[in-house]
Amino acid sequence: MLLLLLCPFVVQGQEAFQRDIKKTVFVPKGQWVAGLNVNYSQSNQNDYQFLVIENISGDTYSFKVSPMVCYIVKDDLGIGGKFAYSRNLTKLESASIILDSETGYDVNNLYTLSHNYYGMAIMRNYFSLGTSKRFGFFNELQLQIGGGQSKLMQGKGADIIGSYQRNFSLDIGIAPGMIMFLNNYSALEVNVGVLGFSYNHTKQISNQIYQSNFRSNSANFKINLMSISFGVSFYL
């Protein structure tokens, strides 16, 4: 007789690891968020020299304003929109490009002006820094559609030549940032674009005769330090 003894074999599973991260509500449901970001820069050059470019004389300025409104649909999650307008102007009276003692180029009476408009839908997710309700982070998902126009002219009087451009752009991106509350109703923000996809189409008319089109697509998977922006927001 063969006797088989069946013995249960029990394997005790490892307990699930718990990080014990405590969730702190940073921005409660029902709040309205309104913000404004303004950038302005201006420069003047008089016989300025930069690398191989000499005798630079002219002036430039750029201006951009971007209001924002957002509604917190649930704790630490908001949906809203932004609008932006930018204007850039460059007047270059003279400049010389000196490559060596025998090679040089002169540029005179160059004028360029551009206007651009952007509309953006955003979704924001907030995170507190530990249990703090003053310092935190946010991650902003952006869908932007924009367009504008620009013109480039060179010369004086009857010798003016130039081109006119109209452009369209579509961008999808992620912009994480940091936030610091000054009080219960106002905060300072800084954010930087990290990940994004972009499409651009430009139509150009040169000297009111020649037409051309330019299309480009790009993907960005790195931190762009030139896209850092600062702003103030109000939580109502």
Side-chain angles (χ1 to χ4, degrees):
M1 179 182 293
L2 180 62
L3 179 62
L4 299 178
L5 299 178
L6 302 178
C7 298
F9 183 71
V10 179
V11 178
Q12 184 177 3
Q14 184 177 1
E15 294 183 0
F17 177 73
Q18 300 292 334
R19 295 187 182 274
D20 293 330
I21 297 178
K22 297 181 180 179
K23 173 66 175 176
T24 300
V25 175
F26 195 64
V27 182
K29 174 183 177 181
Q31 280 199 313
W32 283 95
V33 184
L36 181 65
N37 190 312
V38 179
N39 298 315
Y40 177 79
S41 64
Q42 183 178 10
S43 65
N44 296 279
Q45 301 83 31
N46 186 14
D47 292 330
Y48 180 72
Q49 180 175 348
F50 178 73
L51 298 178
V52 297
I53 306 177
E54 300 180 359
N55 304 322
I56 304 174
S57 296
D59 59 87
T60 65
Y61 83 82
S62 63
F63 171 76
K64 182 177 181 180
V65 58
S66 178
M68 176 198 72
V69 63
C70 181
Y71 180 72
I72 308 301
V73 295
K74 60 181 297 186
D75 289 345
D76 295 331
L77 179 64
I79 296 177
K82 291 182 178 180
F83 174 80
Y85 167 75
S86 66
R87 176 185 172 95
N88 298 276
L89 173 67
T90 299
K91 292 181 179 180
L92 183 61
E93 296 177 1
S94 63
S96 300
I97 302 176
I98 309 298
L99 300 179
D100 53 44
S101 59
E102 298 181 353
T103 307
Y105 303 94
D106 293 329
V107 179
N108 298 292
N109 302 314
L110 184 66
Y111 175 91
T112 176
L113 175 65
S114 65
H115 303 267
N116 290 281
Y117 305 86
Y118 305 95
M120 180 188 301
I122 64 172
M123 182 174 69
R124 274 193 174 192
N125 194 198
Y126 292 87
F127 308 91
S128 62
L129 183 59
T131 58
S132 173
K133 293 191 176 183
R134 182 178 293 272
F135 299 95
F137 302 92
F138 64 86
N139 189 32
E140 186 174 284
L141 178 63
Q142 303 174 340
L143 172 61
Q144 176 178 279
I145 299 177
Q149 57 186 358
S150 63
K151 59 182 179 180
L152 172 65
M153 297 184 297
Q154 184 178 8
K156 284 185 176 181
D159 297 327
I160 290 180
I161 60 174
S163 61
Y164 173 79
Q165 294 182 349
R166 296 189 66 89
N167 63 80
F168 169 80
S169 64
L170 174 65
D171 300 273
I172 301 175
I174 297 175
M178 297 184 62
I179 181 172
M180 180 184 73
F181 275 92
L182 302 177
N183 52 43
N184 288 332
Y185 306 103
S186 62
L188 296 178
E189 298 181 357
V190 56
N191 67 337
V192 57
V194 174
L195 171 64
F197 299 90
S198 178
Y199 168 79
N200 293 274
H201 175 216
T202 300
K203 181 178 180 181
Q204 177 178 280
I205 302 176
S206 299
N207 298 325
Q208 300 183 358
I209 299 175
Y210 306 103
Q211 295 189 15
S212 60
N213 289 274
F214 174 76
R215 293 180 175 86
S216 66
N217 299 279
S218 63
N220 178 32
F221 296 93
K222 60 183 180 180
I223 295 176
N224 182 4
L225 296 180
M226 299 302 294
S227 69
I228 294 178
S229 62
F230 298 86
V232 60
S233 55
F234 301 94
Y235 292 73
L236 309 175

